[in-house]
Amino acid sequence: MQTDVPVITITTDFGHKGPFVGVMKGVIASRAPGATVIDMTHEVPVHWPPEAGFWLARSYRYFPAGTVHVAVVDPGVGTERDILIATTDEHLFIAPDNGLLDELLHAAEAPVVYRLDDRYRDVLNLPAPSNTFHGRDIFAPVAATLAAETDRSGMILRIAKPVTEWTPGWIDPPETRAGQVRGQIITIDHFGNLISNIGAELLPGDGAPVARIAGRDIPMEETYGRAEPGKMVALVNSFGVVEIARTEGNAAATLGVSRGAPLVISLTDG
Amino acid sequence: MQTDVPVITITTDFGHKGPFVGVMKGVIASRAPGATVIDMTHEVPVHWPPEAGFWLARSYRYFPAGTVHVAVVDPGVGTERDILIATTDEHLFIAPDNGLLDELLHAAEAPVVYRLDDRYRDVLNLPAPSNTFHGRDIFAPVAATLAAETDRSGMILRIAKPVTEWTPGWIDPPETRAGQVRGQIITIDHFGNLISNIGAELLPGDGAPVARIAGRDIPMEETYGRAEPGKMVALVNSFGVVEIARTEGNAAATLGVSRGAPLVISLTDG
Amino acid sequence: MQTDVPVITITTDFGHKGPFVGVMKGVIASRAPGATVIDMTHEVPVHWPPEAGFWLARSYRYFPAGTVHVAVVDPGVGTERDILIATTDEHLFIAPDNGLLDELLHAAEAPVVYRLDDRYRDVLNLPAPSNTFHGRDIFAPVAATLAAETDRSGMILRIAKPVTEWTPGWIDPPETRAGQVRGQIITIDHFGNLISNIGAELLPGDGAPVARIAGRDIPMEETYGRAEPGKMVALVNSFGVVEIARTEGNAAATLGVSRGAPLVISLTDG
């Protein structure tokens, strides 16, 4: 399916210095004029695909069916790593085969995954790509072509081949054992909230769950707002995962915790 | 009135980490496909509505008539705070009722203000919102629906009720007394210029006004360019308020001054 | 020539605080509704036109023919400096006459350059500009008008006069002598890669070139990926200039080098 106005999202670790994201949008404007191009984020930690994959997996449903999502967090650019095209749930994803899409593909229903092959250059009439900027030379033109194309499935088969294996993710999924869930902090948002990979569906069902992080026990609440200012709270955030926050404060600064920190949820009376 | 291409601006304190603004744009793309969505800024100080309101009040006139302006600086998200919809001067504003819109509404001619009520969920066919991300779950779909709607007044009345009171602003307006004007620094821009809430219309009319800040007297000039490099100047900036700048330098760093600092304008020979 | 959907790029040193870029886009939305507006970058070093000009010269070809490129890095705003409009290669550029466009115009084939004159206000029906925000008051409306105009050449002649001279660039071009090329670091990207002004076409033709910077000799390679992690490499990057990188690391931090640092490329056996 496809919306009338093609929608493309871009997720990178390029930051905002230099014209790198802008140039990708220039290439897109040539091949899919009038498309709506949306910045998902360009502040993924440098060369760290797991965060890009984490957010993509939890964000794509908020975009129109037919959206093309491009993610370029690509420490292997210029080496022999593959590029994946995946479709699921009426959304289309393009990313390096470096584990970035693994979490999304595991959670998806019946994803279909392809590996871009060298035919793309002939079909899209592209010169040889540079060694260092595939976002501009491969990802952007492929994304724009697919976004603008009526017969997407047909176009995918002209430039890619189905695969059933891909590079696994870099982060262990949360582990449930003896009434506890063990996960980790995936990212820290602009407010200093610590966002984990522990989904609400993994929480212990009965009793009052408590989050343990950095040697502190933090009770789970339902919202920031009901706690008194300065209090640490754990809650299921709007993306369905456990988040540690400080009401009207910065949890990351308070706890001195960063990405990768372990988080354990258990029952107080367990 | 409404332009042919709906225009929506977004002002937040979300920063650029994570997909938060992007996801709001995804929701907008579903309900107002093809709309022009413009980032006003996402670098409002965290949980500080006055700066968002200050910039909105001084910027909205530069957008096409019919523009929908969404501002989400919302420390009370998840509590019982209301959401306002306001129309004035052919522009439409949506923001939490936390004082953000107060300055704009005071300055506006004949604003009409509404409070969003729970009917919006049925009318817009929306699930219950999360407790922590109303930008995605309420503000974006309401803004997109109103932006795309031909009969805006009718739609507003289906989801909101007129009100005549709202939460007052957090910052005292400038005070004029004995030929002096006392205000404060509202924000510091990327160049280190100190931007105050003292409007040009409040300046003492006769003689040579001088700005007093951080113990220094700074004469008012007409432009940066006519002062010698390194010189501190005070001027009425392009948004009609007094600004303290250092020619080819950074006034904030030089003075060691930050947001909230008092600024007094008086006449040298007063 | 002109695309069906007008495309406008914006390059500034405004950063992301405050509504400055957003307001420019508001003005554009009024005069060129539905245009695609692309942020090239807003993180050009404050008041440093050479970096804006460097990126524009190397990026514009990736945008559709007919794109209008606006660059506002303008330390002389409010003084008597001129504004240039330039056309080359089916692209159109608008920038202050402060050297920003010099590199681009030197490299371009048969550029045609104009100086904006005061007729623009009558033709575009604009009020007197502020002294401090020509991005909003002049650059944005001129760019949008030209982007939306079918007869661009005619419109340019109504608001500007041809010129054959303009302010020279601020950075010396690379110097070739005795088999060596001497240039400098123009900018450092988000990854810490050092990007120089030495184009691939200037490299010594035979033998193995070595880059000398900060007292170190760094061999030139073809891609980041083939070097072992942590190794310093020099390569021709995707914009055709020599770049110093550290594989899976940050070259700028490692070398302690910043913008302006000299870089010499020579042959090991030269």
Side-chain angles (χ1 to χ4, degrees):
Chain A
M1 198 207 121
Q2 193 181 345
T3 56
D4 292 333
V5 181
V7 179
I8 299 172
T9 78
I10 310 181
T11 305
T12 75
D13 59 353
F14 296 172
H16 294 89
K17 285 189 67 178
F20 304 101
V21 175
V23 163
M24 287 182 64
K25 293 177 182 172
V27 171
I28 290 170
S30 299
R31 291 181 177 259
T36 294
V37 180
I38 297 176
D39 298 303
M40 193 77 98
T41 180
H42 302 296
E43 299 284 351
V44 170
V46 163
H47 293 165
W48 190 247
E51 183 171 324
F54 173 85
W55 280 126
L56 260 191
R58 283 167 185 77
S59 299
Y60 78 85
R61 286 180 193 81
Y62 297 101
F63 291 81
T67 296
V68 172
H69 304 272
V70 190
V72 191
V73 181
D74 193 9
V77 64
T79 64
E80 296 298 314
R81 68 94 185 82
D82 287 321
I83 290 175
L84 298 180
I85 299 173
T87 61
T88 181
D89 201 16
E90 300 191 297
H91 288 255
L92 193 153
F93 302 87
I94 310 174
D97 181 18
N98 60 15
L100 194 155
L101 290 178
D102 187 52
E103 184 174 355
L104 184 149
L105 294 174
H106 266 294
E109 283 189 38
V112 187
V113 187
Y114 307 82
R115 194 187 63 233
L116 190 73
D117 61 43
D118 286 342
R119 291 173 298 159
Y120 85 90
R121 281 188 47 200
D122 275 351
V123 173
L124 273 62
N125 193 25
L126 284 167
S130 68
N131 281 321
T132 54
F133 194 5
H134 288 187
R136 177 192 69 194
D137 299 337
I138 307 179
F139 289 97
V142 168
T145 299
L146 289 172
E149 173 66 47
T150 313
D151 175 18
R152 281 190 186 172
S153 306
M155 176 54 84
I156 292 175
L157 290 172
R158 292 177 63 196
I159 61 175
K161 288 209 172 62
V163 291
T164 53
E165 297 198 326
W166 51 83
T167 302
W170 296 12
I171 301 277
D172 289 333
E175 197 180 317
T176 305
R177 196 176 49 187
Q180 282 191 338
V181 197
R182 295 169 173 274
Q184 63 177 271
I185 300 306
I186 294 294
T187 184
I188 297 169
D189 73 14
H190 184 67
F191 298 90
N193 300 321
L194 305 163
I195 298 172
S196 81
N197 63 345
I198 298 181
E201 71 285 359
L202 300 175
L203 292 181
D206 296 312
V210 167
R212 185 164 190 90
I213 184 166
R216 290 178 63 161
D217 287 327
I218 300 166
M220 294 205 59
E221 312 273 353
E222 285 198 11
T223 173
Y224 311 134
R226 286 174 203 154
E228 62 195 86
K231 190 182 167 192
M232 301 292 306
V233 296
L235 45 74
V236 174
N237 75 7
S238 62
F239 289 90
V241 293
V242 174
E243 169 174 317
I244 311 295
R246 190 177 180 207
T247 313
E248 297 181 25
N250 185 306
T254 305
L255 294 179
V257 157
S258 57
R259 180 160 57 90
L263 173 70
V264 180
I265 313 285
S266 52
L267 295 182
T268 43
D269 51 346
Chain B
M1 199 207 118
Q2 193 180 345
T3 57
D4 293 333
V5 181
V7 179
I8 299 172
T9 77
I10 310 182
T11 305
T12 76
D13 59 353
F14 296 172
H16 294 90
K17 284 189 69 178
F20 305 100
V21 175
V23 162
M24 286 182 65
K25 293 177 182 171
V27 171
I28 290 170
S30 300
R31 291 182 177 259
T36 294
V37 181
I38 297 177
D39 299 302
M40 194 77 96
T41 180
H42 302 296
E43 300 283 351
V44 170
V46 163
H47 293 167
W48 190 248
E51 183 171 323
F54 173 86
W55 281 126
L56 261 191
R58 283 166 184 77
S59 298
Y60 79 84
R61 286 180 194 81
Y62 297 102
F63 292 81
T67 296
V68 172
H69 304 271
V70 190
V72 191
V73 181
D74 194 8
V77 64
T79 65
E80 296 297 314
R81 68 94 184 83
D82 287 321
I83 290 175
L84 299 179
I85 299 174
T87 61
T88 181
D89 200 16
E90 299 190 297
H91 288 255
L92 194 153
F93 303 87
I94 310 174
D97 180 19
N98 60 16
L100 194 156
L101 290 179
D102 187 51
E103 184 174 356
L104 184 149
L105 295 173
H106 266 294
E109 283 190 36
V112 186
V113 186
Y114 307 83
R115 192 187 66 232
L116 190 72
D117 60 44
D118 286 341
R119 292 174 297 159
Y120 85 91
R121 280 189 47 201
D122 276 350
V123 174
L124 273 61
N125 193 26
L126 284 167
S130 67
N131 281 322
T132 54
F133 193 5
H134 288 186
R136 176 192 69 194
D137 298 337
I138 305 178
F139 290 96
V142 168
T145 299
L146 290 172
E149 173 67 46
T150 313
D151 175 18
R152 283 191 185 172
S153 306
M155 175 56 84
I156 292 175
L157 290 172
R158 292 177 62 197
I159 60 175
K161 288 209 172 63
V163 291
T164 53
E165 296 198 327
W166 50 85
T167 301
W170 296 12
I171 300 276
D172 289 333
E175 197 179 317
T176 305
R177 197 178 48 191
Q180 282 191 338
V181 199
R182 296 169 172 273
Q184 62 177 274
I185 300 306
I186 295 294
T187 184
I188 297 169
D189 73 13
H190 184 67
F191 298 90
N193 299 322
L194 304 163
I195 298 171
S196 81
N197 63 345
I198 299 180
E201 71 283 1
L202 300 175
L203 292 180
D206 294 313
V210 167
R212 184 163 192 91
I213 184 166
R216 290 178 63 161
D217 287 329
I218 301 166
M220 294 205 61
E221 312 272 353
E222 285 197 12
T223 173
Y224 310 134
R226 287 176 201 153
E228 62 195 84
K231 189 182 169 194
M232 301 293 305
V233 295
L235 45 74
V236 174
N237 74 8
S238 61
F239 289 90
V241 291
V242 173
E243 170 175 316
I244 310 296
R246 189 177 180 208
T247 312
E248 299 181 24
N250 185 307
T254 304
L255 295 178
V257 157
S258 57
R259 178 161 58 89
L263 173 69
V264 180
I265 313 285
S266 51
L267 295 183
T268 43
D269 50 347
Chain C
M1 197 206 121
Q2 193 179 348
T3 57
D4 292 334
V5 181
V7 179
I8 299 172
T9 77
I10 310 181
T11 304
T12 75
D13 59 354
F14 296 172
H16 294 90
K17 284 190 71 179
F20 305 100
V21 174
V23 163
M24 285 181 65
K25 292 177 182 172
V27 171
I28 290 170
S30 300
R31 291 182 177 258
T36 294
V37 180
I38 297 177
D39 299 301
M40 194 77 98
T41 181
H42 302 296
E43 299 284 350
V44 170
V46 163
H47 293 166
W48 190 248
E51 182 171 322
F54 174 85
W55 280 126
L56 260 190
R58 283 165 184 77
S59 299
Y60 80 85
R61 288 181 193 80
Y62 297 101
F63 291 80
T67 296
V68 172
H69 303 271
V70 189
V72 191
V73 181
D74 193 9
V77 64
T79 64
E80 296 297 313
R81 67 94 186 83
D82 287 321
I83 291 175
L84 298 180
I85 298 173
T87 60
T88 180
D89 199 17
E90 298 190 298
H91 288 255
L92 194 153
F93 302 86
I94 309 174
D97 181 19
N98 60 16
L100 195 155
L101 289 179
D102 187 51
E103 182 174 357
L104 184 149
L105 294 173
H106 266 293
E109 283 189 38
V112 186
V113 187
Y114 307 83
R115 193 187 65 234
L116 190 73
D117 60 44
D118 285 342
R119 291 174 298 159
Y120 85 91
R121 280 188 48 199
D122 275 349
V123 174
L124 273 61
N125 192 26
L126 284 167
S130 67
N131 280 323
T132 54
F133 193 5
H134 288 187
R136 177 191 70 193
D137 299 337
I138 306 177
F139 289 97
V142 169
T145 299
L146 289 171
E149 173 67 47
T150 313
D151 175 19
R152 283 191 185 171
S153 306
M155 177 55 83
I156 292 175
L157 290 173
R158 291 179 62 197
I159 60 175
K161 287 210 172 62
V163 291
T164 52
E165 297 198 327
W166 50 83
T167 302
W170 296 13
I171 301 276
D172 288 333
E175 198 181 317
T176 305
R177 195 177 50 189
Q180 283 191 337
V181 197
R182 295 167 173 277
Q184 63 177 272
I185 300 305
I186 295 293
T187 184
I188 297 170
D189 73 15
H190 184 66
F191 299 91
N193 300 321
L194 305 162
I195 298 171
S196 82
N197 63 345
I198 299 181
E201 72 284 359
L202 299 176
L203 292 180
D206 296 313
V210 167
R212 186 164 191 88
I213 184 166
R216 290 178 64 161
D217 287 328
I218 300 166
M220 293 205 60
E221 312 272 352
E222 284 198 12
T223 173
Y224 311 133
R226 288 175 201 155
E228 61 195 86
K231 190 182 168 192
M232 302 292 306
V233 296
L235 45 74
V236 174
N237 74 6
S238 62
F239 289 90
V241 291
V242 174
E243 169 175 317
I244 310 295
R246 189 178 181 207
T247 313
E248 299 181 23
N250 186 306
T254 305
L255 294 178
V257 157
S258 58
R259 178 159 59 87
L263 172 70
V264 181
I265 313 285
S266 51
L267 295 182
T268 43
D269 50 348

